[in-house]
Amino acid sequence: MAALDQFLPREWQQLGLTPSLSLRVFGMRRSGNHAILSWLQRNAPNGRSVFLNNCKPGTDPLHNARGIEVNGSRASQNKAKRDMAAVTRPAGDSAMFLVSYEDTSPAEFGLGRQVSGPFDEALFSHNILIYRGFLNWSASLLKKMQPNESYSLMRRNAILLRTVDSYTRLLQLVRQAADLGLTPICYDTWVAQEGYRAGLLQALGLELRDNTLGEVQPYGGGSSFQKQITSVAELETGKRWQQMRDDPEYQALLHLAARDSALMQELEALFPKDAAYLRSVALQAPLVPPPSQGDLA
């Protein structure tokens, strides 16, 4: 067997197995990434999988994952840094190999730069784009960031606006997915429609084993709004923007978003209801500052 291993791609030698299916997944934080990633793992061939979480863009995912799961269970990152194959080999040949990236997409990389560094991107069977409607996604992201005391308001909003910009470019890829050979997964539809989930599994070449929504995953602290909920099916993911509507920071974000022509173009095509609401926001005057001291004199 060892003699045969030398003819395998370097990547599979380091992984210690040859996958039957290898998926690379992109999605912005708070887009339901881990709910979908858990669902993919539950539908892996014979339940066997290797999952590399939140890999560092532009580098080899085999060396820069921020978390590892083997057959759905957490594995030691420290051990994996010393010997990846020793950690992942128990999944066995024909397992599913799953690599995820957060807050980035191929759109963030220019020509000649690989998202996965030296890893041969031709080895990935499918590239998946996870996306979510703007209003609920942005509300969830802001809600998640607000309690972080290490972020000043300005720093928090700088990160937020930069992430919205990346979100816009991800939506641009979603609209080109058919031409680019990408597989888009809309979280909103994924949560709502069992048939949509089943169709995606078939398109990815996976046998339907578990088409439930599963449990809330611990990555990123779970839900931004419902900390005690353990089942994804119980989350009120379609009501986040209403829960944040009176928040001044969220209002300011909506006014900026409503005036971003690139974002609005993508929302008009993919989330027309979100676009319609933002158009109504644009008709309202933003917060008007008080008169200056000179005006008061």
Side-chain angles (χ1 to χ4, degrees), residues 14 30 33 37 59 64 106-107 122 134 142 148 178 222 257 285:
Q14 292 186 21
R30 321 317 293 179
N33 294 351
L37 289 162
T59 64
N64 288 283
F134 177 78
L142 178 57
N148 191 331

Side-chain angles (χ1 to χ4, degrees), residues 7 10 96 125 133 143 175 209 212 224 227-228 258:
F7 297 106
R10 171 193 65 85
M96 180 174 71
S125 311
K143 179 72 171 179
R175 289 217 288 152
R209 296 167 51 87
T212 66
S224 303
K227 295 295 185 183
Q228 306 308 314

Side-chain angles (χ1 to χ4, degrees), residues 2 11 65-66 95 142 149 153 155 165 183 195 213 229 248 280 295:
E11 292 81 355
R66 295 178 174 91
L142 178 57
E149 296 180 354
L153 183 146
R155 183 185 178 194
D165 189 52
T183 303
L213 297 178
I229 296 297
S280 72
D295 294 332

Side-chain angles (χ1 to χ4, degrees), residues 20-83:
S20 61
L21 186 69
S22 51
L23 305 177
R24 185 167 56 168
V25 182
F26 301 93
M28 310 307 295
R29 283 174 292 168
R30 321 317 293 179
S31 292
N33 294 351
H34 288 289
I36 292 172
L37 289 162
S38 172
W39 166 73
L40 289 170
Q41 290 177 83
R42 297 196 309 274
N43 288 283
N46 297 313
R48 297 184 293 109
S49 62
V50 173
F51 168 42
L52 304 185
N53 178 54
N54 193 13
C55 297
K56 183 179 179 181
T59 64
D60 191 331
L62 293 173
H63 302 293
N64 288 283
R66 295 178 174 91
I68 300 173
E69 291 185 14
V70 177
N71 297 336
S73 298
R74 296 284 187 99
S76 170
Q77 284 183 259
N78 289 332
K79 184 177 180 181
K81 288 179 181 179
R82 298 191 300 270
D83 186 353

